[in-house]
Amino acid sequence: MKLSSIIHKLRHEILKMWVLSFYFTVFFIAISYFRFAILKHAQVPYTDFGLGIVKAIVCAKFLLVSQAVYPIKLNDGKSIILHIIGRSLLYVMLVTIHLLRLRKLLWQKFMAKVFYIRLLG
């Protein structure tokens, strides 16, 4: 590969990283501000705005890596929206199944501890 094409790809990746980071930063800081407003109304101190930037950078990097590992291919004539909706539904189903399984395991561990505490006094 030529040096100019490598530099062009690197600039393109850095630009995508900045754009995604900015987008996610706005999103996460908006959520943090909403949480801040609710907790301020309840008179609970809360400052978490800097963590929104860190979350945004991590999400942007995760998105770029997942795009590099498993890119969306549009070969069958469907629109990109249908591909995204299909994969999003599959992702939601997988995450829900794993979270339910995790909840069940944690609940069993908790109940086992309660049982042993009551049993042993």
mmCIF file of all heavy atoms in Angstrom, residues 1 3-21 60-61 64 67-68:
data_model
loop_
_atom_site.group_PDB
_atom_site.id
_atom_site.type_symbol
_atom_site.label_atom_id
_atom_site.label_comp_id
_atom_site.label_asym_id
_atom_site.label_seq_id
_atom_site.Cartn_x
_atom_site.Cartn_y
_atom_site.Cartn_z
ATOM 1 N N MET A 1 0.842 -1.177 0.000
ATOM 2 C CA MET A 1 0.000 0.000 0.000
ATOM 3 C C MET A 1 0.888 1.241 0.000
ATOM 4 O O MET A 1 1.953 1.262 0.588
ATOM 5 C CB MET A 1 -0.904 0.034 1.226
ATOM 6 C CG MET A 1 -1.952 -1.045 1.243
ATOM 7 S SD MET A 1 -3.038 -0.949 2.681
ATOM 8 C CE MET A 1 -4.090 0.381 2.200
ATOM 9 N N LEU A 3 1.886 5.080 0.969
ATOM 10 C CA LEU A 3 1.837 5.867 2.196
ATOM 11 C C LEU A 3 0.672 6.843 2.172
ATOM 12 O O LEU A 3 0.006 7.057 3.186
ATOM 13 C CB LEU A 3 3.158 6.612 2.390
ATOM 14 C CG LEU A 3 3.280 7.421 3.675
ATOM 15 C CD1 LEU A 3 3.178 6.509 4.888
ATOM 16 C CD2 LEU A 3 4.571 8.196 3.690
ATOM 17 N N SER A 4 0.369 7.398 0.995
ATOM 18 C CA SER A 4 -0.736 8.364 0.910
ATOM 19 C C SER A 4 -2.088 7.697 1.175
ATOM 20 O O SER A 4 -2.965 8.296 1.791
ATOM 21 C CB SER A 4 -0.738 9.048 -0.456
ATOM 22 O OG SER A 4 -0.944 8.090 -1.482
ATOM 23 N N SER A 5 -2.263 6.456 0.731
ATOM 24 C CA SER A 5 -3.533 5.766 0.990
ATOM 25 C C SER A 5 -3.656 5.392 2.469
ATOM 26 O O SER A 5 -4.753 5.432 3.034
ATOM 27 C CB SER A 5 -3.660 4.526 0.116
ATOM 28 O OG SER A 5 -2.713 3.546 0.485
ATOM 29 N N ILE A 6 -2.548 5.054 3.102
ATOM 30 C CA ILE A 6 -2.577 4.751 4.536
ATOM 31 C C ILE A 6 -2.929 6.007 5.326
ATOM 32 O O ILE A 6 -3.752 5.965 6.246
ATOM 33 C CB ILE A 6 -1.223 4.167 4.991
ATOM 34 C CG1 ILE A 6 -1.014 2.791 4.373
ATOM 35 C CG2 ILE A 6 -1.182 4.065 6.520
ATOM 36 C CD1 ILE A 6 0.355 2.203 4.624
ATOM 37 N N ILE A 7 -2.328 7.130 4.959
ATOM 38 C CA ILE A 7 -2.620 8.393 5.636
ATOM 39 C C ILE A 7 -4.081 8.783 5.422
ATOM 40 O O ILE A 7 -4.754 9.242 6.345
ATOM 41 C CB ILE A 7 -1.659 9.504 5.166
ATOM 42 C CG1 ILE A 7 -0.244 9.202 5.665
ATOM 43 C CG2 ILE A 7 -2.124 10.871 5.648
ATOM 44 C CD1 ILE A 7 0.808 10.125 5.121
ATOM 45 N N HIS A 8 -4.585 8.582 4.206
ATOM 46 C CA HIS A 8 -5.990 8.900 3.908
ATOM 47 C C HIS A 8 -6.927 8.038 4.768
ATOM 48 O O HIS A 8 -7.903 8.547 5.341
ATOM 49 C CB HIS A 8 -6.277 8.695 2.428
ATOM 50 C CG HIS A 8 -7.701 8.924 2.057
ATOM 51 N ND1 HIS A 8 -8.273 10.181 2.059
ATOM 52 C CD2 HIS A 8 -8.688 8.052 1.708
ATOM 53 C CE1 HIS A 8 -9.545 10.085 1.711
ATOM 54 N NE2 HIS A 8 -9.818 8.794 1.498
ATOM 55 N N LYS A 9 -6.656 6.730 4.879
ATOM 56 C CA LYS A 9 -7.496 5.848 5.696
ATOM 57 C C LYS A 9 -7.411 6.218 7.176
ATOM 58 O O LYS A 9 -8.414 6.185 7.889
ATOM 59 C CB LYS A 9 -7.084 4.392 5.497
ATOM 60 C CG LYS A 9 -7.492 3.833 4.164
ATOM 61 C CD LYS A 9 -7.112 2.382 4.042
ATOM 62 C CE LYS A 9 -7.518 1.843 2.686
ATOM 63 N NZ LYS A 9 -7.190 0.417 2.532
ATOM 64 N N LEU A 10 -6.210 6.559 7.624
ATOM 65 C CA LEU A 10 -6.038 6.952 9.016
ATOM 66 C C LEU A 10 -6.817 8.230 9.325
ATOM 67 O O LEU A 10 -7.495 8.319 10.359
ATOM 68 C CB LEU A 10 -4.557 7.142 9.338
ATOM 69 C CG LEU A 10 -4.203 7.456 10.783
ATOM 70 C CD1 LEU A 10 -4.625 6.308 11.681
ATOM 71 C CD2 LEU A 10 -2.722 7.728 10.910
ATOM 72 N N ARG A 11 -6.759 9.203 8.427
ATOM 73 C CA ARG A 11 -7.527 10.441 8.623
ATOM 74 C C ARG A 11 -9.018 10.152 8.644
ATOM 75 O O ARG A 11 -9.761 10.729 9.442
ATOM 76 C CB ARG A 11 -7.211 11.449 7.521
ATOM 77 C CG ARG A 11 -5.908 12.139 7.693
ATOM 78 C CD ARG A 11 -5.704 13.174 6.625
ATOM 79 N NE ARG A 11 -4.405 13.814 6.771
ATOM 80 C CZ ARG A 11 -3.868 14.597 5.874
ATOM 81 N NH1 ARG A 11 -4.501 14.854 4.748
ATOM 82 N NH2 ARG A 11 -2.690 15.134 6.090
ATOM 83 N N HIS A 12 -9.451 9.277 7.744
ATOM 84 C CA HIS A 12 -10.868 8.921 7.683
ATOM 85 C C HIS A 12 -11.314 8.250 8.990
ATOM 86 O O HIS A 12 -12.390 8.571 9.523
ATOM 87 C CB HIS A 12 -11.116 8.000 6.488
ATOM 88 C CG HIS A 12 -12.552 7.635 6.300
ATOM 89 N ND1 HIS A 12 -13.506 8.539 5.908
ATOM 90 C CD2 HIS A 12 -13.197 6.455 6.479
ATOM 91 C CE1 HIS A 12 -14.678 7.939 5.845
ATOM 92 N NE2 HIS A 12 -14.516 6.677 6.187
ATOM 93 N N GLU A 13 -10.523 7.333 9.531
ATOM 94 C CA GLU A 13 -10.867 6.664 10.786
ATOM 95 C C GLU A 13 -10.875 7.641 11.958
ATOM 96 O O GLU A 13 -11.749 7.580 12.820
ATOM 97 C CB GLU A 13 -9.889 5.520 11.064
ATOM 98 C CG GLU A 13 -10.055 4.335 10.152
ATOM 99 C CD GLU A 13 -11.388 3.649 10.303
ATOM 100 O OE1 GLU A 13 -11.845 3.468 11.449
ATOM 101 O OE2 GLU A 13 -11.982 3.292 9.276
ATOM 102 N N ILE A 14 -9.907 8.544 11.996
ATOM 103 C CA ILE A 14 -9.870 9.539 13.077
ATOM 104 C C ILE A 14 -11.081 10.456 12.996
ATOM 105 O O ILE A 14 -11.701 10.789 14.015
ATOM 106 C CB ILE A 14 -8.543 10.334 13.034
ATOM 107 C CG1 ILE A 14 -7.388 9.419 13.447
ATOM 108 C CG2 ILE A 14 -8.607 11.554 13.938
ATOM 109 C CD1 ILE A 14 -6.021 10.042 13.271
ATOM 110 N N LEU A 15 -11.457 10.853 11.778
ATOM 111 C CA LEU A 15 -12.641 11.701 11.609
ATOM 112 C C LEU A 15 -13.899 10.974 12.068
ATOM 113 O O LEU A 15 -14.743 11.549 12.777
ATOM 114 C CB LEU A 15 -12.774 12.143 10.151
ATOM 115 C CG LEU A 15 -13.989 13.006 9.848
ATOM 116 C CD1 LEU A 15 -13.869 14.348 10.550
ATOM 117 C CD2 LEU A 15 -14.135 13.194 8.352
ATOM 118 N N LYS A 16 -14.036 9.697 11.697
ATOM 119 C CA LYS A 16 -15.196 8.932 12.151
ATOM 120 C C LYS A 16 -15.218 8.808 13.663
ATOM 121 O O LYS A 16 -16.273 8.921 14.290
ATOM 122 C CB LYS A 16 -15.196 7.531 11.519
ATOM 123 C CG LYS A 16 -15.649 7.520 10.088
ATOM 124 C CD LYS A 16 -15.935 6.185 9.467
ATOM 125 C CE LYS A 16 -15.318 4.976 9.999
ATOM 126 N NZ LYS A 16 -15.543 3.763 9.200
ATOM 127 N N MET A 17 -14.045 8.615 14.260
ATOM 128 C CA MET A 17 -13.967 8.504 15.717
ATOM 129 C C MET A 17 -14.401 9.805 16.381
ATOM 130 O O MET A 17 -15.154 9.782 17.358
ATOM 131 C CB MET A 17 -12.534 8.138 16.124
ATOM 132 C CG MET A 17 -12.346 7.954 17.597
ATOM 133 S SD MET A 17 -13.178 6.484 18.169
ATOM 134 C CE MET A 17 -12.670 6.491 19.862
ATOM 135 N N TRP A 18 -13.957 10.942 15.867
ATOM 136 C CA TRP A 18 -14.341 12.236 16.441
ATOM 137 C C TRP A 18 -15.835 12.492 16.294
ATOM 138 O O TRP A 18 -16.487 12.958 17.229
ATOM 139 C CB TRP A 18 -13.549 13.377 15.802
ATOM 140 C CG TRP A 18 -12.203 13.547 16.401
ATOM 141 C CD1 TRP A 18 -11.014 13.141 15.866
ATOM 142 C CD2 TRP A 18 -11.888 14.138 17.660
ATOM 143 N NE1 TRP A 18 -9.991 13.452 16.718
ATOM 144 C CE2 TRP A 18 -10.492 14.068 17.826
ATOM 145 C CE3 TRP A 18 -12.652 14.715 18.660
ATOM 146 C CZ2 TRP A 18 -9.862 14.556 18.953
ATOM 147 C CZ3 TRP A 18 -12.012 15.206 19.783
ATOM 148 C CH2 TRP A 18 -10.637 15.114 19.917
ATOM 149 N N VAL A 19 -16.380 12.196 15.122
ATOM 150 C CA VAL A 19 -17.807 12.447 14.890
ATOM 151 C C VAL A 19 -18.656 11.568 15.805
ATOM 152 O O VAL A 19 -19.595 12.042 16.451
ATOM 153 C CB VAL A 19 -18.165 12.220 13.400
ATOM 154 C CG1 VAL A 19 -19.662 12.185 13.186
ATOM 155 C CG2 VAL A 19 -17.529 13.283 12.537
ATOM 156 N N LEU A 20 -18.324 10.273 15.879
ATOM 157 C CA LEU A 20 -19.081 9.374 16.750
ATOM 158 C C LEU A 20 -18.929 9.753 18.220
ATOM 159 O O LEU A 20 -19.894 9.721 18.981
ATOM 160 C CB LEU A 20 -18.630 7.928 16.528
ATOM 161 C CG LEU A 20 -19.096 7.276 15.240
ATOM 162 C CD1 LEU A 20 -18.410 5.939 15.044
ATOM 163 C CD2 LEU A 20 -20.593 7.114 15.233
ATOM 164 N N SER A 21 -17.721 10.118 18.611
ATOM 165 C CA SER A 21 -17.493 10.528 19.997
ATOM 166 C C SER A 21 -18.304 11.770 20.343
ATOM 167 O O SER A 21 -18.897 11.854 21.422
ATOM 168 C CB SER A 21 -16.011 10.789 20.238
ATOM 169 O OG SER A 21 -15.280 9.610 20.086
ATOM 170 N N ALA A 60 -17.971 4.769 20.931
ATOM 171 C CA ALA A 60 -17.523 5.057 19.562
ATOM 172 C C ALA A 60 -16.470 4.047 19.123
ATOM 173 O O ALA A 60 -16.510 3.543 17.995
ATOM 174 C CB ALA A 60 -16.981 6.472 19.474
ATOM 175 N N LYS A 61 -15.532 3.741 19.995
ATOM 176 C CA LYS A 61 -14.493 2.761 19.656
ATOM 177 C C LYS A 61 -15.102 1.386 19.450
ATOM 178 O O LYS A 61 -14.741 0.665 18.516
ATOM 179 C CB LYS A 61 -13.431 2.735 20.758
ATOM 180 C CG LYS A 61 -12.252 1.889 20.430
ATOM 181 C CD LYS A 61 -11.525 2.424 19.217
ATOM 182 C CE LYS A 61 -10.322 1.563 18.903
ATOM 183 N NZ LYS A 61 -9.736 1.928 17.635
ATOM 184 N N LEU A 64 -16.756 1.330 16.031
ATOM 185 C CA LEU A 64 -15.793 1.255 14.934
ATOM 186 C C LEU A 64 -15.163 -0.132 14.827
ATOM 187 O O LEU A 64 -14.981 -0.650 13.722
ATOM 188 C CB LEU A 64 -14.713 2.319 15.097
ATOM 189 C CG LEU A 64 -15.159 3.752 14.852
ATOM 190 C CD1 LEU A 64 -14.027 4.719 15.165
ATOM 191 C CD2 LEU A 64 -15.611 3.936 13.415
ATOM 192 N N GLN A 67 -17.759 -2.497 13.437
ATOM 193 C CA GLN A 67 -17.943 -2.251 12.016
ATOM 194 C C GLN A 67 -16.797 -2.865 11.215
ATOM 195 O O GLN A 67 -17.008 -3.380 10.124
ATOM 196 C CB GLN A 67 -18.026 -0.758 11.750
ATOM 197 C CG GLN A 67 -18.266 -0.413 10.300
ATOM 198 C CD GLN A 67 -18.230 1.089 10.057
ATOM 199 O OE1 GLN A 67 -17.751 1.853 10.876
ATOM 200 N NE2 GLN A 67 -18.736 1.487 8.913
ATOM 201 N N ALA A 68 -15.589 -2.822 11.759
ATOM 202 C CA ALA A 68 -14.443 -3.411 11.059
ATOM 203 C C ALA A 68 -14.513 -4.939 11.070
ATOM 204 O O ALA A 68 -14.170 -5.588 10.088
ATOM 205 C CB ALA A 68 -13.143 -2.938 11.701
#
